[in-house]
Amino acid sequence: MSPDELERMLRDGVLRDRELPPLAAVAADAGLLDVAYATLDSPLGALLVAVTPRGLVRLAYLDAGEREDDVLADLAARVSPRVLAAPGPVDDARRQLDDYFERRRTSFELPIDWRLVHGFGRRVLRATARIPYGGTSSYKQIAAQAGSPRGHRAAGNALGANPIPIVVPCHRVLHAGGGLGGYGGGLERKLVLLEVEGSLSA
């Protein structure tokens, strides 16, 4: 239903005795929904998942210091102001995350919208996305794969700013000696993810 059709039906009283269509559906039909998001519970706490027509653009740990309003404001500024709570477009990502945490899924089949990362940071995250389930890599190895063998510190910064954790598995990057290194969601979450994947003994 287009906005014009909705306006006409409201004006003519057609919708008086009918339920209004969901705003998200109207916006999507009219091409006005650029970023759809939903929040969901997970073993790691509340997550905000946002998608665009290109793919998954943001996954935020709301219990790790990121505020929902701040995440949405950042998406509005950097992607599009047309951001709307709309669970439908997020359902596939939600199902795949649920399967992952239940150990029924070892890889994500979700298109990624990379527009929040650029240059070396994007190369780092693309290299990180290729680390297989149950495997790990080092900051030095990821930096080399991203084209800068000496850029392990910059690689660490890019991983710490990863806008799509879990799906782009920055938790699989460790220090060369096996130390955990850092993690934007906190080391406790990094440990849980590695244990889910069998990379560490529980």
Side-chain angles (χ1 to χ4, degrees), residues 2 5-6 26 35 52 61 75-76 105 109 118 133 135 158 176 200:
S2 72
E5 290 172 322
L6 180 60
V26 174
V35 184
T52 72
Y61 291 118
L75 287 168
R105 172 175 291 277
E109 298 170 2
H118 306 280
Y133 183 96
L200 298 175

Side-chain angles (χ1 to χ4, degrees), residues 36-40 48-51 56 86-95:
Y37 77 93
T39 57
L40 54 119
L48 184 146
V49 182
V51 300
L56 180 66
V90 181
D91 276 349
D92 192 29
R94 179 191 56 74
R95 281 192 295 269

Side-chain angles (χ1 to χ4, degrees), residues 40-178:
L40 54 119
D41 293 326
S42 82
L44 300 179
L47 303 175
L48 184 146
V49 182
V51 300
T52 72
R54 298 183 192 179
L56 180 66
V57 72
R58 191 73 167 88
L59 195 159
Y61 291 118
L62 296 180
D63 295 339
E66 292 196 271
R67 295 176 58 248
E68 181 174 334
D69 288 347
D70 292 339
V71 174
L72 297 178
D74 184 63
L75 287 168
R78 298 173 65 194
V79 179
S80 168
R82 298 190 293 204
V83 180
L84 193 62
V90 181
D91 276 349
D92 192 29
R94 179 191 56 74
R95 281 192 295 269
Q96 292 193 35
L97 284 162
D98 286 344
D99 287 346
Y100 168 82
F101 285 117
E102 293 293 327
R103 294 178 167 86
R104 296 191 300 262
R105 172 175 291 277
T106 60
S107 64
F108 291 98
E109 298 170 2
L110 296 167
I112 301 294
D113 183 340
W114 295 100
R115 78 179 81 184
L116 294 179
V117 288
H118 306 280
F120 180 65
R122 183 181 291 194
R123 296 197 302 273
V124 165
L125 295 183
R126 285 187 175 276
T128 301
R130 294 192 291 269
I131 304 171
Y133 183 96
T136 60
S137 188
S138 71
Y139 293 96
K140 187 174 182 180
Q141 289 171 326
I142 290 295
Q145 290 170 26
S148 180
R150 297 184 180 180
H152 60 277
R153 289 186 186 276
N157 291 336
L159 291 164
N162 179 9
I164 314 172
I166 307 174
V167 175
V168 177
C170 52
H171 59 276
R172 296 177 190 161
V173 183
L174 310 175
H175 281 308

